[in-house]
Amino acid sequence: TKGISTVDMLVLAAATSLLAFAPSCVWAFSSHPAIISPLFRRSPGHRSPSKSADAAAPTARTLLQVATADQASVTADIPVDDVVDESPSSDSDQFNWYKAWYPIIPVEFLNREKPQHFKLLNMDLVVWNDGKVEGRSEEFGSKKDRQRGAKRSDGTWRVFADSCPHRKVPLSEGRIEDDGTLMCSYHAWRWTGDADLCAVPQAQSEDELLRIQSNPKSKCNSFPSKVVNGLLWVWPESGDDARLESALTEAQ
């Protein structure tokens, strides 16, 4: 090719092969005093890439400065004081969802004649009232034998786990007897408002009934409950400690 010397062609070939791996080599050839070519001759006012890189380096370093706060790397654009501490909190700071009062329903919407099912924190609950029917407070029997116009007295609203201790049948499918006990619909076992087993029709003797009652698993799983301003509240944890903690905590 006219106008291009052999030296220029060799320089061009070498620069092309090096361009893919080290683009700065091209500028090395063009600035070398022993090899001066019109193809690589710098125009007036042109700045060396190395100088440009050196000038840009402080700016890049300024933008990418890293500060250390609590062993975490943070860019210099974010003040250290604004860094949020994401370290795990202690167990004492964590909220326990089972150690709090929860409102269930206004009691005026509840039926004192039958147990009702509710769900709280993915737990099945049965709400019922242990009031006794007037004139039959100590008697168990059919509702047909009630005196005409007999009413159920104001008892206490109870909250149990909706599961019979005997065969895990929902207690909400049972009924409230005239003596204020909750009866399971499967085998007619009955419990008092304090969650104690009081009757087992299949027991052949008083001794057998006492033996069944002596088993701690015969008790229903009951939860603390109370009515505040006409609203039924429940503490979704059972046991003696739960009753003490719930008594010391205000429902609000």
Side-chain angles (χ1 to χ4, degrees):
T1 304
K2 295 181 178 182
I4 301 177
S5 65
T6 302
V7 175
D8 290 337
M9 294 181 65
L10 292 174
V11 171
L12 180 62
T16 303
S17 62
L18 292 174
L19 188 59
F21 303 97
S24 60
C25 292
V26 177
W27 298 103
F29 279 101
S30 64
S31 60
H32 197 281
I35 304 177
I36 305 298
S37 170
L39 293 178
F40 299 98
R41 188 171 295 136
R42 291 175 291 179
S43 60
H46 179 79
R47 293 189 304 172
S48 172
S50 60
K51 294 181 179 180
S52 299
D54 293 340
T59 303
R61 284 193 294 269
T62 301
L63 294 176
L64 298 177
Q65 287 179 349
V66 175
T68 302
D70 295 334
Q71 304 301 322
S73 297
V74 183
T75 60
D77 293 339
I78 304 176
V80 175
D81 294 340
D82 294 343
V83 176
V84 178
D85 184 9
E86 297 182 353
S87 58
S89 59
S90 61
D91 293 338
S92 60
D93 295 335
Q94 295 181 354
F95 180 75
N96 189 332
W97 293 92
Y98 294 93
K99 294 183 181 294
W101 285 105
Y102 291 89
I104 299 296
I105 189 175
V107 293
E108 62 178 324
F109 297 145
L110 294 172
N111 188 345
R112 287 187 294 173
E113 292 291 336
K114 63 179 182 179
Q116 292 140 100
H117 171 266
F118 288 90
K119 206 172 187 69
L120 175 64
L121 299 179
N122 204 32
M123 297 190 303
D124 292 306
L125 307 177
V126 57
V127 176
W128 64 287
N129 191 286
D130 63 359
K132 301 174 182 180
V133 174
E134 298 174 354
R136 299 186 60 185
S137 59
E138 301 298 335
E139 185 179 354
F140 168 74
S142 174
K143 292 183 179 180
K144 296 180 180 180
D145 298 332
R146 282 186 185 179
Q147 297 179 1
R148 185 180 297 269
K151 296 181 180 179
R152 189 177 294 275
S153 62
D154 294 332
T156 302
W157 288 105
R158 307 290 186 174
V159 180
F160 289 178
D162 194 13
S163 177
C164 175
H166 184 212
R167 288 291 183 263
K168 306 304 179 184
V169 174
L171 292 172
S172 57
E173 297 180 1
R175 72 185 188 190
I176 303 173
E177 296 303 310
D178 289 352
D179 61 352
T181 58
L182 178 63
M183 186 181 74
C184 176
S185 62
Y186 194 18
H187 290 110
W189 288 27
R190 292 188 291 130
W191 288 267
T192 65
D194 294 327
D196 295 322
L197 179 65
C198 62
V200 178
Q202 295 80 16
Q204 300 296 323
S205 64
E206 189 70 21
D207 291 339
E208 185 177 0
L209 175 61
L210 292 174
R211 181 181 58 80
I212 297 174
Q213 291 174 325
S214 64
N215 188 337
K217 294 183 179 180
S218 67
K219 293 177 63 71
C220 282
N221 189 13
S222 64
F223 303 100
S225 60
K226 62 182 177 180
V227 177
V228 180
N229 296 327
L231 191 64
L232 178 64
W233 296 73
V234 61
W235 183 279
E237 188 179 48
S238 60
D240 294 336
D241 291 342
R243 298 193 181 281
L244 178 60
E245 289 177 326
S246 63
L248 298 175
T249 306
E250 183 181 358
Q252 57 183 5

